[in-house]
Amino acid sequence: MGRVDLHTHSWCSDGTCSPAELVRRAREKGVEALALTDHDTVSGWTEARREARRLGVRLACGIELNTREGDQVHVLGYGIDPRSAPLTRSLALFRRRRRERLARIIGRLRALDVEIEVDDFPAETRCSIGRPHVADALCRKGIVRDRKEAFRRFLRKGGPAYVPSMGPAMDEAIEAVRAAGGWACLAHPGMIARSFDVGPWVDIGLEGLEVYYPGHSRAQTSRLLETAERYGLAVTGGSDYHGPESGHEEIGETELPEDAFRRIEDRLGFDGAGDPKETS
Ligand code: AMP
Ligand code: ZN
Ligand code: FE
Ligand code: FE
């Protein structure tokens, strides 16, 4: 059994490489089971699946929804049907809210005498726009060196250009995933700055916890394992890969232990779920 990576982003959202490149990179790093989890879009699925079939990588269609419950309170959806009509509608709405938020961020930057235009963003990355796109635009203008500096100086929570997420509430996010036949998992719980209790979220349908994540300490990982056990939640893991030079972890860097993977394997919906039809 090779590596498993259930959390990755292509340039269909805020990753820096194409879906096919992402799959090639995974193959090179020995990842055998992979999930594509772009923010608020499944538009990379068809291309990624084509490459995954060619290279013999097992690929699942997933999604990541950034909620308005707080910075880093993100929901991962697995086992989803990318052609689901309710999901398509929800994602179009969430992406519209992202564009509204972007306009507000651009307004805040303008007030700081920093001019960026939506046209600054490369076409292939305009589907699901987020703060990393603003960071890249600031890089291209020579205002910052990389995404990290852009977040530190402007975009982080509390930063001068920060606008809180306008994403779905937790119940709306969980419902969007379930309506597509999938199950919802709390992404990188250890990165959530505020205190929270998963109990109420489990009550409204949360089914998994991303226990294995590069930013989690060993102590956090074992606490999260206990939480998953206590609430009967599925245990998942992934690197949150965002492509080369994104400043994020390498693909496959966090391995999901084989026993944890075996327990959820059937529920991940590897390959074969069909072609998404998506409009924004
Ligand atoms: P948004 O969806 O616009 O709220 O942006 C959230 C995304 O920004 C996350 O999913 C990460 O990909 C990225 N991100 C968050 N914090 C940082 C950071 N400090 N440096 C680089 N990227 C970050
Ligand atoms: Zn991201
Ligand atoms: Fe996330
Ligand atoms: Fe992510």
Side-chain angles (χ1 to χ4, degrees):
M1 179 78 208
R3 293 171 177 228
V4 172
D5 193 333
L6 303 178
H7 187 161
T8 66
H9 300 273
S10 77
W11 69 23
C12 293
S13 65
D14 58 9
T16 61
C17 69
S18 71
E21 251 177 277
L22 183 135
V23 173
R24 281 196 291 277
R25 188 103 171 178
R27 180 78 183 82
E28 279 163 22
K29 298 287 173 189
V31 175
E32 286 178 10
L34 178 70
L36 176 65
T37 55
D38 271 315
H39 301 277
D40 296 342
T41 183
V42 288
S43 58
W45 171 242
T46 306
E47 180 188 315
R49 186 180 55 174
R50 196 182 312 124
E51 195 66 359
R53 284 183 177 171
R54 199 174 70 81
L55 298 176
V57 173
R58 295 178 73 197
L59 182 72
C61 183
I63 194 85
E64 185 173 16
L65 308 173
N66 296 10
T67 76
R68 62 175 66 181
E69 310 278 344
D71 206 45
Q72 302 291 346
V73 185
H74 301 170
V75 164
L76 289 161
Y78 296 111
I80 55 170
D81 173 4
R83 297 164 305 179
S84 151
L87 180 70
T88 302
R89 278 196 299 276
S90 296
L91 296 182
L93 171 67
F94 301 160
R95 291 195 300 270
R96 210 153 52 234
R97 290 187 193 154
R98 279 180 170 275
R99 287 193 293 271
E100 285 168 30
R101 183 183 182 210
L102 175 75
R104 293 193 196 177
I105 294 174
I106 289 175
R108 283 194 172 256
L109 286 170
R110 189 168 298 135
L112 299 166
D113 278 331
V114 178
E115 284 292 331
I116 60 157
E117 306 281 337
V118 176
D119 288 351
D120 289 348
F121 305 142
E124 67 271 15
T125 69
R126 275 187 218 145
C127 180
S128 178
I129 219 97
R131 285 179 290 167
H133 295 96
V134 177
D136 292 347
L138 293 170
C139 283
R140 283 192 294 273
K141 293 239 157 171
I143 295 165
V144 297
R145 274 188 315 273
D146 53 25
R147 286 183 173 187
K148 272 206 160 58
E149 187 184 345
F151 271 83
R152 187 163 40 78
R153 282 178 52 197
F154 299 102
L155 303 168
R156 68 182 160 77
K157 183 175 165 42
Y162 180 68
V163 175
S165 171
M166 294 168 63
M170 184 58 83
D171 57 348
E172 204 183 350
I174 292 172
E175 186 43 42
V177 169
R178 289 169 74 106
W183 52 282
C185 173
L186 186 65
H188 41 64
M191 309 314 285
I192 301 175
R194 70 175 179 85
S195 66
F196 65 96
D197 178 8
V198 293
W201 293 337
V202 174
D203 290 342
I204 57 172
L206 188 75
E207 294 180 65
L209 215 51
E210 189 177 50
V211 170
Y212 296 94
Y213 188 79
H216 290 170
S217 66
R218 286 178 108 135
Q220 277 175 320
T221 304
S222 49
R223 269 199 306 277
L224 289 166
L225 270 177
E226 285 168 23
T227 306
E229 175 101 6
R230 178 156 15 107
Y231 289 96
L233 296 170
V235 169
T236 75
S239 67
D240 209 354
Y241 184 64
H242 277 73
E245 275 140 65
S246 61
H248 282 76
E249 211 63 44
E250 183 52 81
I251 200 160
E253 214 36 59
T254 288
E255 295 180 63
L256 182 62
E258 187 162 348
D259 62 325
F261 175 65
R262 293 290 174 220
R263 262 179 261 137
I264 58 168
E265 191 177 6
D266 294 343
R267 304 179 66 200
L268 289 165
F270 284 108
D271 203 352
D275 295 300
K277 286 193 180 56
E278 194 173 13
T279 51
S280 57

